[in-house]
Amino acid sequence: SFEPEEIDVLLNNEMFKMIEQRAYGNNLKRESLEETQKRTDDLRNLISSTTVSTFTTTSANKPNGKFVALPANYRHAMQEDCTISYTDCNNVTQSKVIEVVPTSLDRYNKIIRDPFNKPYDELIIRLAHGTIGGSEVFELITDGVYTLTNYNLRYIKTPVSMRYGTTYSTATTDVQCELAEHLHREIVEATAKTALETIASPRFQSNSQIATGTE
């Protein structure tokens, strides 16, 4: 009784649930991405990389902070670092790659005053932020001495929504699922359970079971 467009909505909902389960361990085994080979394999098709060399400042920046725009398909950060340039003791310009550490806003005030944790020439603090000019941004906090050259980010991207468009009432193009092929059956099974609960009496609580039942 479901229209093709409705089936696609249900399928995509389950796909995005599955991404969160695999990325953050919201599953029976409590295993997140990269904790086991299976978790890595589950989301391998969504892992992407980018290098950004443009940084902006506004009145909203913290001291020594610069905003960096994220890719339009950004979903979750996996690993990040920065290439910096600086002048050494011989007055020669050098460059190196240093660590970027995500930091919560509630810890920022403590860290920035801590001489053992605040930014220095081997560490950059990264804070969450909203959007600027329509793009999501991070804020990178440096020590104010060296210069940021590149921000290097490996991340989980937001997949395109799958679509069986050739069956729509107004036909359009098909869009394949971007997740690894071995997850396709799990997505379909989870979608069928959710659809059953939607149209019939709840014979089982699929919403609570799917998170721990699909592996």
Side-chain angles (χ1 to χ4, degrees), residues 4-13 162-165 168:
E5 294 88 341
E6 295 173 323
I7 294 172
D8 281 350
V9 170
L10 293 172
L11 284 167
N12 284 302
N13 286 344
M162 66 185 93
R163 183 176 67 207
Y164 197 5
Y168 284 11

Side-chain angles (χ1 to χ4, degrees), residues 32-196:
S32 60
L33 181 64
E34 294 196 300
E35 285 189 329
T36 66
Q37 185 62 47
K38 182 178 189 308
R39 293 292 166 252
T40 302
D41 288 344
D42 286 348
L43 298 183
R44 65 175 182 264
N45 291 355
L46 301 184
I47 298 174
S48 188
S49 299
T50 189
T51 295
V52 184
S53 57
T54 301
F55 306 94
T56 60
T57 56
T58 72
S59 59
N61 280 110
K62 300 288 188 183
N64 299 322
K66 291 185 180 294
F67 291 126
V68 58
L70 300 175
N73 63 354
Y74 169 82
R75 191 172 185 88
H76 299 300
M78 292 180 61
Q79 184 273 332
E80 50 198 315
D81 56 51
C82 276
T83 305
I84 66 168
S85 63
Y86 63 98
T87 303
D88 66 15
C89 57
N90 296 316
N91 204 32
V92 176
T93 300
Q94 304 281 2
S95 67
K96 64 180 177 179
V97 177
I98 67 173
E99 183 180 10
V100 174
V101 176
T103 302
S104 62
L105 291 169
D106 62 343
R107 296 190 64 239
Y108 168 78
N109 287 336
K110 293 180 180 179
I111 290 175
I112 206 66
R113 293 185 177 92
D114 185 342
F116 299 103
N117 286 304
K118 68 180 183 179
Y120 66 109
D121 62 2
E122 295 289 345
L123 176 69
I124 290 174
I125 290 175
R126 189 259 283 169
L127 298 177
H129 202 273
T131 60
I132 295 178
S135 297
E136 289 188 67
V137 299
F138 283 156
E139 185 174 15
L140 304 176
I141 311 294
T142 73
D143 67 355
V145 177
Y146 52 78
T147 301
L148 289 176
T149 304
N150 292 320
Y151 171 66
N152 312 301
L153 173 67
R154 183 158 294 184
Y155 65 100
I156 299 174
K157 68 179 182 179
T158 299
V160 296
S161 295
M162 66 185 93
R163 183 176 67 207
Y164 197 5
T166 52
T167 65
Y168 284 11
S169 55
T170 301
T172 184
T173 55
D174 295 335
V175 178
Q176 300 297 321
C177 179
E178 288 193 273
L179 267 65
E181 189 173 348
H182 67 267
L183 288 180
H184 293 181
R185 181 178 293 275
E186 291 185 30
I187 294 172
V188 172
E189 290 176 350
T191 300
K193 292 176 182 178
T194 299
L196 179 63

Side-chain angles (χ1 to χ4, degrees), residues 198-209:
T198 300
I199 63 176
S201 59
R203 304 176 203 181
F204 53 86
Q205 294 298 317
S206 64
N207 288 337
S208 62
Q209 291 188 16

